[in-house]
Amino acid sequence: MGHAVEKLHDRLMEISRVDDDGVYRYGAEKRSQRSELVKTSLKALWQEASAEVDFDLPESGVGLAAVGSLARGQMGPNSDLDLVLMVEDRALKQEQLARFADRLWYPLWDSGLDLDHSVRTRSQCESVTDHDLPAAMGWLDVTAIAGDTALIEGTASSILERWRKAARKRLPELTESATARLRQFGRLPYINQPDIKEARGGLRDSTLIASLAASWLSDRPHGQYDAALERLLDVRDCIHLASKKDTNLLLPQYQPQVAGMLGLADPTLPKDEREALSIDDLQTLLASLGRRIAFALDSTTSRAQHSLTHERPRFAFFQGKREAPRFDVIAPGIAKHEQTVVLAPGVSPVSDQYLPLRVAVAAAEFGLPIANSTLINLSKSPIRDSVWDDSSRRLFIRLLACSEELTRVWEEIDYVDIPGRWIPEWLGVRNRPSASAAHRYTIDRHMVEVTSRLGERSPGGVLYDEEHYQALLLAGILHDIGKRPGVADHAEEGARHVPVILRRMGYADTVVEMATVLVREHLTLSDYASGKDPHDPDVLASLAAHVRGDTTLLDMLFDLTKADGSSLGATSTEAITKRYGWSKWRENLVSTMYSAAKAYMLDR
């Protein structure tokens, strides 16, 4: 029993072998070969199981279907099998059905593959997919393996028809599922240890795109999107090979091997340097793929929502004329249209270098997403990093002061590379993973997260004046700008870059000087709190010297330290150590040192 699938996992591994130089090539072809091998083996297993039972298996009314990666032809080296044994009412007795199912499932378990299986009637499949969104999307990709294929194909057609009829009602459910995953798993380009399936821009988004296309509410993207999806599947395959299991979590211990299998490691470099650079390149690759897939999902969803909005003609009240699209102007050259930020009619970005900044501020302050087409248009703006005026400097500060909206809007404009055009030094840390396991985010995203946590009031509740608040926000967005390859002291390196950046932008010398001090010293308060005595006058005098004896700078340093610490750590689903973060213990240590230093300075 089970000869058809004997050592099936080993045979899949043979197909999945890397080349002699350690590089995994021809991923799409290998996925197709693995999928065909499994289908062929399952068909043979069906025949063996039919011959082994002591009753005649009917030619109709019983069939084996595959969903998931096997149905899509995307089998990974260690992908599980998601199989459904379909049966019509009264085709078999329950006892016969159980015995036959055992002949299928047990050999598959013995073959070394993970198996997710179920037994369903057509009505049960329809009922489940009517109420379970993941099940419905799974049945939009289904393959009949063996037995009564007409039963499976008929059920699939019925579910597809029901999906299309209900798509208008289910679109909010589908978009909310994507939003919920975003809250839990974050965005693929900005996570140091991403789940490449569940993160925004990951493989799950491709399933949503296919589901939207199947609903006829929107077309499916092609071209660059197809290439990005295939390359991300290559990454998934390499994670399987490195981990030797079915996982989509790219943990640190897998990253050097995955990067090597993807051909990102330079064999001429020393091992440590080769691994570090290849991991940087891996993160950059994931950022590119994640942005492409996330943008495709956003575009597909937007077109689907637009089709629902405009599927019926709109007529002006008491008139027989069709209404023109409504644009509500919310800033110069910027409008709100269907709950997105767009360019006002007639506005062109090609001659306005400050337009992207105005759009970003409007999107953040009104809490609205920037339309995808508008983002593409903004990329045509003639931004010059050395040309800033008072108005644009104030706008940049307004953007940095937008708290949690800052992270969303920065992600949107980062898709079209705008931050790197404002600040070219940003490109040196963009998408770079942090060397510290305490960091959840990439370096660039971490700096945005820190800035979003900086308020306009000091620890004592007093409002910072304009220059101090500007310096605090600018220090937040630049505090890790010195984290570059080969740099031993990133705080000192950052303090070297900050005055160059801020003077080029035209900020006042006092603002530049304060921001530079904060960047240079952004680890100092935490280091003092962790290893020095807050009751030692010499320690307090030394700490005061780091902030030039300025109590307001000390307040700002405390705020920056708190924001920096609170943005580290992991979500509950991530395997990142929480040894550093803004825990009660660390808050108490830092607060004690801060309070002692401030009291010391006020007494002088």
PDB file of all heavy atoms in Angstrom, residues 149 183 188-189 192 297 362 376-378 385 398 443 446 466 523 549:
ATOM      1  N   THR A 149     -14.143  13.721 -11.990  1.00  0.00           N
ATOM      2  CA  THR A 149     -13.659  15.084 -12.217  1.00  0.00           C
ATOM      3  C   THR A 149     -14.802  16.035 -12.555  1.00  0.00           C
ATOM      4  O   THR A 149     -14.720  17.227 -12.265  1.00  0.00           O
ATOM      5  CB  THR A 149     -12.623  15.100 -13.352  1.00  0.00           C
ATOM      6  OG1 THR A 149     -13.205  14.550 -14.547  1.00  0.00           O
ATOM      7  CG2 THR A 149     -11.391  14.276 -12.968  1.00  0.00           C
ATOM      8  N   ARG A 183      -1.925  44.895   9.689  1.00  0.00           N
ATOM      9  CA  ARG A 183      -1.744  45.253  11.092  1.00  0.00           C
ATOM     10  C   ARG A 183      -0.931  44.201  11.833  1.00  0.00           C
ATOM     11  O   ARG A 183      -0.127  44.523  12.708  1.00  0.00           O
ATOM     12  CB  ARG A 183      -3.107  45.437  11.770  1.00  0.00           C
ATOM     13  CG  ARG A 183      -3.853  46.691  11.357  1.00  0.00           C
ATOM     14  CD  ARG A 183      -5.008  46.951  12.293  1.00  0.00           C
ATOM     15  NE  ARG A 183      -6.031  45.926  12.181  1.00  0.00           N
ATOM     16  CZ  ARG A 183      -7.123  46.002  11.421  1.00  0.00           C
ATOM     17  NH1 ARG A 183      -7.327  47.096  10.694  1.00  0.00           N
ATOM     18  NH2 ARG A 183      -8.003  45.026  11.380  1.00  0.00           N
ATOM     19  N   LEU A 188       6.185  43.901   3.820  1.00  0.00           N
ATOM     20  CA  LEU A 188       7.352  43.107   3.456  1.00  0.00           C
ATOM     21  C   LEU A 188       8.629  43.936   3.306  1.00  0.00           C
ATOM     22  O   LEU A 188       9.697  43.510   3.764  1.00  0.00           O
ATOM     23  CB  LEU A 188       7.056  42.327   2.168  1.00  0.00           C
ATOM     24  CG  LEU A 188       8.126  41.357   1.668  1.00  0.00           C
ATOM     25  CD1 LEU A 188       8.441  40.307   2.722  1.00  0.00           C
ATOM     26  CD2 LEU A 188       7.665  40.691   0.372  1.00  0.00           C
ATOM     27  N   PRO A 189       8.599  45.132   2.692  1.00  0.00           N
ATOM     28  CA  PRO A 189       9.862  45.865   2.506  1.00  0.00           C
ATOM     29  C   PRO A 189      10.504  46.362   3.790  1.00  0.00           C
ATOM     30  O   PRO A 189      11.677  46.711   3.782  1.00  0.00           O
ATOM     31  CB  PRO A 189       9.437  47.057   1.628  1.00  0.00           C
ATOM     32  CG  PRO A 189       8.167  46.646   0.975  1.00  0.00           C
ATOM     33  CD  PRO A 189       7.480  45.778   1.975  1.00  0.00           C
ATOM     34  N   ASN A 192      12.545  43.120   9.200  1.00  0.00           N
ATOM     35  CA  ASN A 192      13.827  42.421   9.168  1.00  0.00           C
ATOM     36  C   ASN A 192      13.671  40.918   9.015  1.00  0.00           C
ATOM     37  O   ASN A 192      14.502  40.253   8.403  1.00  0.00           O
ATOM     38  CB  ASN A 192      14.610  42.704  10.461  1.00  0.00           C
ATOM     39  CG  ASN A 192      15.367  44.019  10.394  1.00  0.00           C
ATOM     40  OD1 ASN A 192      15.770  44.455   9.323  1.00  0.00           O
ATOM     41  ND2 ASN A 192      15.539  44.657  11.533  1.00  0.00           N
ATOM     42  N   LEU A 297      -1.762  44.982  -5.767  1.00  0.00           N
ATOM     43  CA  LEU A 297      -2.981  44.748  -4.989  1.00  0.00           C
ATOM     44  C   LEU A 297      -3.763  46.038  -4.799  1.00  0.00           C
ATOM     45  O   LEU A 297      -4.988  46.072  -4.982  1.00  0.00           O
ATOM     46  CB  LEU A 297      -2.638  44.141  -3.629  1.00  0.00           C
ATOM     47  CG  LEU A 297      -3.824  43.955  -2.673  1.00  0.00           C
ATOM     48  CD1 LEU A 297      -4.855  43.000  -3.260  1.00  0.00           C
ATOM     49  CD2 LEU A 297      -3.360  43.463  -1.317  1.00  0.00           C
ATOM     50  N   ALA A 362      -0.917  66.785   2.840  1.00  0.00           N
ATOM     51  CA  ALA A 362      -2.384  66.726   2.762  1.00  0.00           C
ATOM     52  C   ALA A 362      -2.888  65.330   3.079  1.00  0.00           C
ATOM     53  O   ALA A 362      -3.865  65.155   3.818  1.00  0.00           O
ATOM     54  CB  ALA A 362      -2.851  67.167   1.379  1.00  0.00           C
ATOM     55  N   ILE A 376       2.300  57.763  -9.161  1.00  0.00           N
ATOM     56  CA  ILE A 376       3.089  57.624 -10.397  1.00  0.00           C
ATOM     57  C   ILE A 376       3.351  58.986 -11.010  1.00  0.00           C
ATOM     58  O   ILE A 376       4.467  59.284 -11.470  1.00  0.00           O
ATOM     59  CB  ILE A 376       2.358  56.705 -11.386  1.00  0.00           C
ATOM     60  CG1 ILE A 376       2.212  55.296 -10.809  1.00  0.00           C
ATOM     61  CG2 ILE A 376       3.103  56.660 -12.716  1.00  0.00           C
ATOM     62  CD1 ILE A 376       3.518  54.610 -10.488  1.00  0.00           C
ATOM     63  N   ASN A 377       2.346  59.849 -11.003  1.00  0.00           N
ATOM     64  CA  ASN A 377       2.531  61.188 -11.559  1.00  0.00           C
ATOM     65  C   ASN A 377       3.528  62.005 -10.741  1.00  0.00           C
ATOM     66  O   ASN A 377       4.330  62.767 -11.293  1.00  0.00           O
ATOM     67  CB  ASN A 377       1.187  61.932 -11.622  1.00  0.00           C
ATOM     68  CG  ASN A 377       0.331  61.475 -12.778  1.00  0.00           C
ATOM     69  OD1 ASN A 377       0.848  61.069 -13.818  1.00  0.00           O
ATOM     70  ND2 ASN A 377      -0.976  61.508 -12.614  1.00  0.00           N
ATOM     71  N   LEU A 378       3.501  61.841  -9.417  1.00  0.00           N
ATOM     72  CA  LEU A 378       4.409  62.610  -8.570  1.00  0.00           C
ATOM     73  C   LEU A 378       5.864  62.245  -8.827  1.00  0.00           C
ATOM     74  O   LEU A 378       6.769  63.054  -8.586  1.00  0.00           O
ATOM     75  CB  LEU A 378       4.074  62.382  -7.094  1.00  0.00           C
ATOM     76  CG  LEU A 378       2.762  62.973  -6.585  1.00  0.00           C
ATOM     77  CD1 LEU A 378       2.549  62.609  -5.124  1.00  0.00           C
ATOM     78  CD2 LEU A 378       2.735  64.493  -6.772  1.00  0.00           C
ATOM     79  N   ASP A 385      17.275  68.141  -4.342  1.00  0.00           N
ATOM     80  CA  ASP A 385      17.540  68.030  -2.906  1.00  0.00           C
ATOM     81  C   ASP A 385      18.134  69.296  -2.306  1.00  0.00           C
ATOM     82  O   ASP A 385      18.061  69.510  -1.091  1.00  0.00           O
ATOM     83  CB  ASP A 385      18.483  66.853  -2.643  1.00  0.00           C
ATOM     84  CG  ASP A 385      19.835  67.041  -3.302  1.00  0.00           C
ATOM     85  OD1 ASP A 385      19.931  66.782  -4.519  1.00  0.00           O
ATOM     86  OD2 ASP A 385      20.784  67.439  -2.600  1.00  0.00           O
ATOM     87  N   ARG A 398       5.803  69.730   9.074  1.00  0.00           N
ATOM     88  CA  ARG A 398       4.394  69.329   9.266  1.00  0.00           C
ATOM     89  C   ARG A 398       4.199  67.851   8.959  1.00  0.00           C
ATOM     90  O   ARG A 398       3.457  67.148   9.650  1.00  0.00           O
ATOM     91  CB  ARG A 398       3.476  70.176   8.383  1.00  0.00           C
ATOM     92  CG  ARG A 398       3.176  71.556   8.935  1.00  0.00           C
ATOM     93  CD  ARG A 398       2.445  72.420   7.928  1.00  0.00           C
ATOM     94  NE  ARG A 398       1.164  71.846   7.520  1.00  0.00           N
ATOM     95  CZ  ARG A 398       0.375  72.385   6.577  1.00  0.00           C
ATOM     96  NH1 ARG A 398       0.769  73.490   5.938  1.00  0.00           N
ATOM     97  NH2 ARG A 398      -0.764  71.825   6.266  1.00  0.00           N
ATOM     98  N   ILE A 443      16.260  49.719   8.776  1.00  0.00           N
ATOM     99  CA  ILE A 443      16.770  50.962   9.342  1.00  0.00           C
ATOM    100  C   ILE A 443      15.908  52.149   8.949  1.00  0.00           C
ATOM    101  O   ILE A 443      15.560  52.992   9.789  1.00  0.00           O
ATOM    102  CB  ILE A 443      18.228  51.182   8.899  1.00  0.00           C
ATOM    103  CG1 ILE A 443      19.125  50.073   9.463  1.00  0.00           C
ATOM    104  CG2 ILE A 443      18.740  52.549   9.354  1.00  0.00           C
ATOM    105  CD1 ILE A 443      20.519  50.058   8.876  1.00  0.00           C
ATOM    106  N   HIS A 446      12.542  52.064  10.707  1.00  0.00           N
ATOM    107  CA  HIS A 446      12.717  52.329  12.131  1.00  0.00           C
ATOM    108  C   HIS A 446      12.811  53.835  12.390  1.00  0.00           C
ATOM    109  O   HIS A 446      12.204  54.353  13.345  1.00  0.00           O
ATOM    110  CB  HIS A 446      13.984  51.633  12.634  1.00  0.00           C
ATOM    111  CG  HIS A 446      14.420  52.079  13.999  1.00  0.00           C
ATOM    112  ND1 HIS A 446      13.719  51.775  15.145  1.00  0.00           N
ATOM    113  CD2 HIS A 446      15.486  52.838  14.386  1.00  0.00           C
ATOM    114  CE1 HIS A 446      14.338  52.308  16.186  1.00  0.00           C
ATOM    115  NE2 HIS A 446      15.407  52.957  15.756  1.00  0.00           N
ATOM    116  N   GLU A 466       9.299  76.503  18.452  1.00  0.00           N
ATOM    117  CA  GLU A 466       9.354  76.039  17.062  1.00  0.00           C
ATOM    118  C   GLU A 466      10.712  75.438  16.706  1.00  0.00           C
ATOM    119  O   GLU A 466      10.784  74.359  16.107  1.00  0.00           O
ATOM    120  CB  GLU A 466       9.044  77.203  16.120  1.00  0.00           C
ATOM    121  CG  GLU A 466       9.033  76.797  14.652  1.00  0.00           C
ATOM    122  CD  GLU A 466       8.685  77.956  13.728  1.00  0.00           C
ATOM    123  OE1 GLU A 466       8.356  79.045  14.234  1.00  0.00           O
ATOM    124  OE2 GLU A 466       8.751  77.755  12.494  1.00  0.00           O
ATOM    125  N   LEU A 523      22.159  57.503  21.851  1.00  0.00           N
ATOM    126  CA  LEU A 523      22.322  56.298  22.672  1.00  0.00           C
ATOM    127  C   LEU A 523      22.854  56.605  24.067  1.00  0.00           C
ATOM    128  O   LEU A 523      22.886  55.720  24.925  1.00  0.00           O
ATOM    129  CB  LEU A 523      23.277  55.323  21.980  1.00  0.00           C
ATOM    130  CG  LEU A 523      22.873  54.824  20.595  1.00  0.00           C
ATOM    131  CD1 LEU A 523      23.982  53.956  20.010  1.00  0.00           C
ATOM    132  CD2 LEU A 523      21.574  54.046  20.651  1.00  0.00           C
ATOM    133  N   GLY A 549      25.008  71.131  28.855  1.00  0.00           N
ATOM    134  CA  GLY A 549      24.414  71.755  30.032  1.00  0.00           C
ATOM    135  C   GLY A 549      23.043  72.350  29.781  1.00  0.00           C
ATOM    136  O   GLY A 549      22.534  73.134  30.593  1.00  0.00           O
TER     137      GLY A 549
END
